[in-house]
Amino acid sequence: MSTNADHIGTFWEHLDELRSCLIRIAFAFIGFAFFIFFFKDDLFRIVLAPKSSDFVTYRLLHVSAFDIHLMNIGLTEQFMIHLKTAMYVGLLLASPYILYQIFRFVSPALYTNERKYAVGIVGSAYIMFMLGNLLNYFLIFPFTLKFLGTYQVSNDVANMLTLQSYMDTLFILSLMIGVVFELPVVTWILGKMGFIDKQMMQQYRKHAIVLILIIAAIITPTTDAFTLIIVSVPIWLLYEVSVLIVK
């Protein structure tokens, strides 16, 4: 027969394990971010690559040459952007270890079949988030930047883009597109639980397209129709993939 002392002991043991888990996660995140911070030249060679017409996507699609210049207008802006970029990339690199630590902490409370599903869901969610980030870096952000960075109402008005504007757009799109790419995983879960099916998703396809346009308008940092379309199309394709997954 369990006693109150046993329950208290178990509680403190779990709390101690949680503390150890969080410490390991923090060290992994800080370690990767610290490591990336000291590779500034390589880091920003990659981050700033889409502003050049030599970027791989432009060359593959034979996009005409263009020129985009960035400027800095704040005293601490470049250092803070360097720091935030290192933290974001460090989090991406550390995320497999972070997910492993979280799963390691919660797995003892799961049944065998639940543990199997949890591994599949977490692994799929991570892969889809990274695919969203890659799609944004190689396709969505470059064409958004190229269109808006070279658009002029008159030849008398030159575009002078700030580094802060460039990075904010890249980060917001990367995060949002990564989250949106979780749609197939979410629909698989809902389908497995019986909340949705193929017929329902096909029946409400027109409603979904309207919702997709609204979501795209919310997550895009700009208000132009070009960015709205280039963000909406991948989300719509994800919806169609989700229909097949639910089937």
Side-chain angles (χ1 to χ4, degrees):
M1 182 175 180
S2 62
T3 65
N4 189 49
D6 293 329
H7 288 301
I8 293 175
T10 303
F11 170 77
W12 286 111
E13 288 171 4
H14 283 303
L15 193 62
D16 187 59
E17 179 59 30
L18 176 61
R19 181 176 63 84
S20 299
C21 177
L22 293 176
I23 290 174
R24 288 192 292 268
I25 288 173
F27 270 107
F29 166 56
I30 294 172
F32 274 105
F34 188 78
F35 176 78
I36 291 296
F37 185 85
F38 287 98
F39 287 87
K40 182 183 67 173
D41 292 340
D42 295 323
L43 174 63
F44 281 92
R45 187 179 298 115
I46 296 172
V47 170
L48 300 178
K51 76 179 184 65
S52 170
S53 56
D54 289 333
F55 187 57
V56 58
T57 303
Y58 303 136
R59 287 191 281 108
L60 288 174
L61 298 178
H62 303 290
V63 174
S64 57
F66 62 92
D67 197 19
I68 292 178
H69 293 286
L70 299 179
M71 64 177 181
N72 175 59
I73 58 174
L75 180 63
T76 62
E77 195 170 276
Q78 293 205 54
F79 175 78
M80 294 306 298
I81 287 174
H82 181 193
L83 184 62
K84 287 191 291 185
T85 305
M87 291 175 66
Y88 184 80
V89 176
L91 181 61
L92 289 179
L93 294 177
S95 53
Y97 179 78
I98 292 173
L99 291 173
Y100 166 73
Q101 286 297 327
I102 294 173
F103 177 77
R104 184 169 173 267
F105 176 74
V106 302
S107 61
L110 302 176
Y111 293 109
T112 303
N113 62 326
E114 292 175 336
R115 196 176 296 122
K116 180 183 69 174
Y117 280 125
V119 171
I121 291 171
V122 172
S124 299
Y126 174 74
I127 291 172
M128 293 305 296
F129 184 83
M130 295 303 294
L131 286 176
N133 272 258
L134 290 173
L135 178 71
N136 178 63
Y137 177 76
F138 284 106
L139 185 66
I140 296 176
F141 177 71
F143 282 100
T144 300
L145 176 68
K146 196 265 180 185
F147 175 77
L148 297 178
T150 60
Y151 186 85
Q152 291 177 282
V153 295
S154 170
N155 289 331
D156 296 328
V157 183
N159 285 326
M160 308 249 333
L161 303 181
T162 65
L163 177 63
Q164 184 69 57
S165 174
Y166 178 98
M167 297 303 298
D168 284 348
T169 305
L170 176 60
F171 282 147
I172 292 173
L173 280 176
S174 295
L175 180 61
M176 293 303 178
I177 297 299
V179 171
V180 168
F181 258 62
E182 302 300 331
L183 178 62
V185 179
V186 173
T187 53
W188 182 85
I189 294 172
L190 294 177
K192 200 72 176 175
M193 296 173 68
F195 290 121
I196 59 175
D197 56 30
K198 177 190 173 186
Q199 288 72 27
M200 179 186 296
M201 295 189 71
Q202 290 177 330
Q203 180 182 352
Y204 290 98
R205 179 178 274 112
K206 293 181 180 179
H207 302 79
I209 291 173
V210 174
L211 183 60
I212 286 169
L213 290 172
I214 294 173
I215 293 173
I218 292 173
I219 68 177
T220 51
T222 59
T223 57
D224 63 288
F226 179 83
T227 306
L228 180 65
I229 293 172
I230 205 171
V231 172
S232 299
V233 170
I235 302 176
W236 169 70
L237 292 175
L238 283 173
Y239 183 84
E240 297 301 329
V241 170
S242 299
V243 173
L244 297 176
I245 289 175
V246 171
K247 177 183 177 182

